[in-house]
Amino acid sequence: MSTSAKLPARRGLRPAHFVFLAWALLLAAMPFLADNYFVRLATFVAMYSALALSWNFIGGYTGYPSFATAAFVGLGSYTGAVLQNAGAPMVAAWVCATLFTGLVAALIGAAILRMKGHYFAVGSITLIEVLHQVASLWSSVTGGGEGLNVPILAGGPDFAGRVFLYAMLATLLLVWAVTLWVDRSKLGFGLRCISQNEDAADMVGIQVNRYKTVAFTLSALFCGTVGAIYASWVSYISPSDAFSVLLTLKVPAMAMLGGLGTVYGPIVGAAAFVLMEETIWAHFLDYNQAILGVVIVLLILFLPGGFLKIDYRRLWRRPPPARPAAPAASALSAAVTGEKAEKGEKADKAAAAPLATFAREGRS
Amino acid sequence: METYIQIIANGLMLGALYACIAVGFSLVWGVLNVINMLHGSFIVLGGYLAFFAWAQLGVSPFVMLFVVAAVLFLLGFLIQYGAINRVVSKPVLLTLTLTFGLDLILYNFMNVVFEATPRRITLDLGSLGIGEVMLPYDRLLAMLLALAMTGILYWVLRSSRIGRAIVAVRMDRDAAALMGIRVNKVYAITFGISAMMAGACGALMAVVYPITTNTTGLLLGKAFTICVIGGLGSVPGALVGGLALGLIESFAGTWLGAQYAILIGSLLMLTLLMVRPTGLIGKRGYE
């Protein structure tokens, strides 16, 4: 099918790109500006941004409720740790872990992407449990429940902190570049179509299964990288730490906090989330999970579209005159501000449609 | 031979409890189209309430069952009415994440108030010996009560006014609304019934197994597995699935070692999900 005429017209330089690059530069400059605590914080911001962007491929663009993030992070961290313990150089271990995770995800994806909706969500959660059990039981390789030590990087904590910060940042930039490409390419268009109506997408000639598998693999690939880097960074992993169900919930929550299916939503969401975690939650250690829960509940109930989908211009203007209640779909589409208005083409519907689907689709 | 009968008996006693866990979860999934991540926490909450009533006030868990059921029904009703009803028709991602968030709150609350130490109600009722096969009375009683509760739920759904309303909403939400059924209220009652079953089952489980907050995820996983084995939204499906999982775990635990039981259950579930998502005896699935 010819999609070239309908691709969202987002080429060219947008201010958002510069804001993002400035943000990345700020994170990169952290070792020269502040102490190790902030370097560590910046590493976390980069790490979660990369994870949220990865999840966005399957959860945001394709609209499949995947909760498998922790499975692939765990797989990546175990692969990286085992390779490093076998004597592989650190960076080579990271690359191998990435490729291995991607390969596994492609194989698993081809199988579990046949499920839809609730079944897919349950299947993806089960995947974590299966890998968790394998990591606990296969003790000759994974060290079992006692976990696995990873060689500590030589050169002192300052040097190591910088290495891991730049590694995470590099991963983030890579995922960002891939997201930009997907966002503009035929692949991204196809994924949005699948998100709106999979059967219709199939009808008009999108190779649904191949597209979904690619999206799933992309979403897992960089989780593997992040996992491997994380394993080297903390130099110890255990099954319950690597395959944490909490992580699998946090990452979609971050993407939703920013805005699903957008390039910058997950980055904004991850940064806001990590900073919130550090500033507020650190003071209430006993209530850590409850506060996370409250944040998620408030987010779902009152801000389901995320930060980037609030109409900030309308917030400042006086409220419009009362009019009959618009259908939810058009109200939501109208709430997509700024960048949608710039484009002003029919083709924008492609980008706005996942939202409309959200409102319309009822039961998926 | 006796060993096999013993394994089967253990499996069935376990399976009856599993069926009771799954029946409420399956009801919510089938009727509300919501995956209720709170379910595991409801079970543990029921267990804790029964344990503390027994340990500190000396109330028998079999009496406490009714109190726990009432408390959990109210809790479930309020959660559904206040929170989940607002997003109940949204995609899975939102509803599932919402119940996940609520689960974190409840879980954290239980950890702070009750602490995560494993606790078990020890009644020491002795056991019934038939030949070599030993059936502890407390397990037997728990099994019978679990089966009775499942049976009552089945009867309620089949014959009572509210049960017919629940089934009607499940079949066609809009048509049910046109017939004068208040859908939101039915949703809240359904969720309340589900929480009630979970809590009552937790009270029974506390008699048989140690209860700790760390098992919430495990119990939830079992509910998933049973729903997938048996098929969604039907009481007989949950019963068959529960008994099947009980037997599978019992045999897998004996032959391979207890640590493999979870892995076997999860793998079985993934395979079934891919091959036959409507379950072993399910009709066409309600997606």
Side-chain angles (χ1 to χ4, degrees):
Chain A
M1 77 186 217
S2 137
T3 54
S4 53
K6 288 199 162 191
L7 289 178
R10 288 205 196 171
R11 291 169 203 281
L13 298 168
R14 293 164 58 214
H17 296 336
F18 291 109
V19 175
F20 169 70
L21 289 176
W23 174 240
L25 269 179
L26 179 70
L27 292 180
M30 208 48 88
F32 308 103
L33 299 175
D35 58 12
N36 278 341
Y37 168 78
F38 286 94
V39 175
R40 189 175 155 274
L41 197 60
T43 316
F44 269 122
V45 169
M47 170 176 148
Y48 280 115
S49 304
L51 288 179
L53 269 183
S54 295
W55 181 86
N56 199 30
F57 290 122
I58 187 78
Y61 286 110
T62 323
Y64 266 61
S66 168
F67 290 90
T69 304
F72 297 123
V73 171
L75 188 63
S77 57
Y78 265 100
T79 316
V82 167
L83 285 176
Q84 267 193 274
N85 280 336
M90 193 171 69
V91 177
W94 295 348
V95 174
C96 288
T98 309
L99 296 178
F100 181 69
T101 310
L103 184 71
V104 172
L107 292 177
I108 292 178
I112 74 169
L113 284 164
R114 301 184 336 157
M115 304 179 236
K116 281 182 193 162
H118 295 70
Y119 292 102
F120 178 77
V122 170
S124 64
I125 296 176
T126 315
L127 198 58
I128 303 178
E129 190 55 37
V130 169
L131 289 179
H132 183 169
Q133 291 298 326
V134 170
S136 312
L137 294 174
W138 196 11
S139 45
S140 58
V141 174
T142 61
E146 288 164 17
L148 206 56
N149 284 310
V150 185
I152 296 174
L153 184 63
D158 285 358
F159 173 70
R162 281 181 206 187
V163 168
F164 293 119
L165 170 64
Y166 291 133
M168 289 289 186
L169 261 182
T171 315
L172 169 60
L173 287 173
L174 195 63
V175 191
W176 171 72
V178 175
T179 305
L180 270 189
W181 171 74
V182 168
D183 191 56
R184 295 167 177 188
S185 71
K186 192 175 152 187
L187 175 64
F189 183 84
L191 295 180
R192 289 195 192 95
C193 291
I194 292 173
S195 160
Q196 281 177 59
N197 187 334
E198 190 169 334
D199 294 330
D202 197 16
M203 288 274 290
V204 297
I206 294 174
Q207 284 170 313
V208 176
N209 283 327
R210 185 182 295 175
Y211 273 53
K212 284 191 300 189
T213 311
V214 170
F216 193 67
T217 311
L218 279 178
S219 81
L221 201 61
F222 301 106
C223 290
T225 324
V226 168
I229 298 175
Y230 183 77
S232 306
W233 184 27
V234 297
S235 69
Y236 167 76
I237 48 171
S238 66
S240 54
D241 187 33
F243 298 100
S244 129
V245 177
L246 214 55
L247 176 75
T248 226
L249 174 64
K250 262 187 195 176
V251 169
M254 286 171 187
M256 276 191 265
L257 186 64
L260 287 178
T262 58
V263 177
Y264 288 109
I267 300 177
V268 172
F273 206 96
V274 174
L275 295 180
M276 225 161 28
E277 194 168 24
E278 281 299 317
T279 49
I280 309 172
W281 304 350
H283 300 292
F284 302 95
L285 280 180
D286 280 353
Y287 297 94
N288 212 324
Q289 291 181 328
I291 295 175
L292 172 62
V294 170
V295 168
I296 287 171
V297 169
L298 292 178
L299 168 69
I300 301 279
L301 292 184
F302 299 111
L303 196 64
F307 286 143
L308 290 193
K309 287 175 181 168
I310 303 173
D311 189 344
Y312 289 106
R313 293 182 195 172
R314 201 152 71 184
L315 282 184
W316 300 119
R317 262 181 270 138
R318 66 193 163 79
R323 57 182 170 186
S330 66
L332 263 178
S333 305
V336 184
T337 49
E339 47 181 57
K340 295 286 167 329
E342 282 169 27
K343 289 180 286 166
E345 284 183 23
K346 261 189 186 171
D348 297 350
K349 277 183 187 158
L355 264 183
T357 322
F358 247 84
R360 214 184 319 113
E361 202 173 39
R363 304 176 152 210
S364 67
Chain B
M1 190 60 207
E2 265 83 17
T3 26
Y4 283 108
I5 297 180
Q6 181 72 57
I7 296 172
I8 291 173
N10 287 347
L12 289 180
M13 286 190 286
L14 192 62
L17 284 176
Y18 282 172
C20 191
I21 291 179
V23 76
F25 185 76
S26 163
L27 187 70
V28 165
W29 191 343
V31 177
L32 276 69
N33 213 17
V34 165
I35 296 178
N36 177 20
M37 303 295 285
L38 278 157
H39 207 72
S41 295
F42 281 153
I43 297 169
V44 171
L45 182 62
Y48 272 147
L49 290 178
F51 173 84
F52 280 103
W54 172 77
Q56 305 199 335
L57 306 173
V59 184
S60 159
F62 300 113
V63 176
M64 195 58 195
L65 197 65
F66 298 99
V67 183
V68 169
V71 171
L72 265 288
F73 177 83
L74 203 64
L75 181 67
F77 187 91
L78 291 177
I79 287 178
Q80 175 69 28
Y81 209 76
I84 304 177
N85 261 347
R86 289 160 168 264
V87 294
V88 76
S89 55
K90 296 273 172 62
V92 202
L93 180 62
L94 290 187
T95 52
L96 199 152
T97 315
L98 177 67
T99 55
F100 217 150
L102 290 168
D103 180 51
L104 284 180
I105 300 174
L106 183 58
Y107 175 84
N108 199 160
F109 165 79
M110 288 196 298
N111 259 345
V112 170
V113 177
F114 301 128
E115 294 169 355
T117 349
R119 294 189 177 87
R120 185 186 160 188
I121 303 175
T122 37
L123 292 176
D124 287 329
L125 298 178
S127 48
L128 174 68
I130 306 171
E132 298 279 303
V133 183
M134 299 300 275
L135 304 172
Y137 277 118
D138 48 4
R139 288 196 179 200
L140 213 52
L141 201 54
M143 173 179 104
L144 290 178
L145 279 171
L147 289 178
M149 285 194 300
T150 314
I152 292 173
L153 182 66
Y154 185 64
W155 176 80
V156 165
L157 288 180
R158 295 282 293 191
S159 322
S160 73
R161 203 176 151 76
I162 182 67
R164 295 327 286 171
I166 290 173
V167 174
V169 170
R170 184 193 151 166
M171 280 178 172
D172 190 331
R173 181 197 153 133
D174 296 331
L178 287 175
M179 297 300 122
I181 295 173
R182 276 188 278 176
V183 175
N184 276 347
K185 212 168 189 174
V186 168
Y187 278 164
I189 290 173
T190 311
F191 200 84
I193 290 176
S194 161
M196 183 176 82
M197 294 295 287
C201 193
L204 290 179
M205 284 205 107
V207 179
V208 182
Y209 293 108
I211 287 274
T212 146
T213 44
N214 296 333
T215 54
T216 53
L218 203 67
L219 293 169
L220 185 67
K222 296 210 190 299
F224 279 155
T225 316
I226 295 162
C227 277
V228 172
I229 294 178
L232 267 190
S234 76
V235 177
L239 193 62
V240 169
L243 292 176
L245 184 69
L247 287 174
I248 291 166
E249 287 200 349
S250 188
F251 275 103
T254 319
W255 286 338
L256 300 171
Q259 68 271 31
Y260 286 95
I262 303 171
L263 183 64
I264 301 281
S266 310
L267 281 177
L268 177 78
M269 168 183 173
L270 263 187
T271 321
L272 265 178
L273 264 178
M274 282 179 255
V275 180
R276 198 178 157 82
T278 50
L280 288 181
I281 65 164
K283 291 169 270 177
R284 267 186 58 77
Y286 284 79
E287 285 208 345

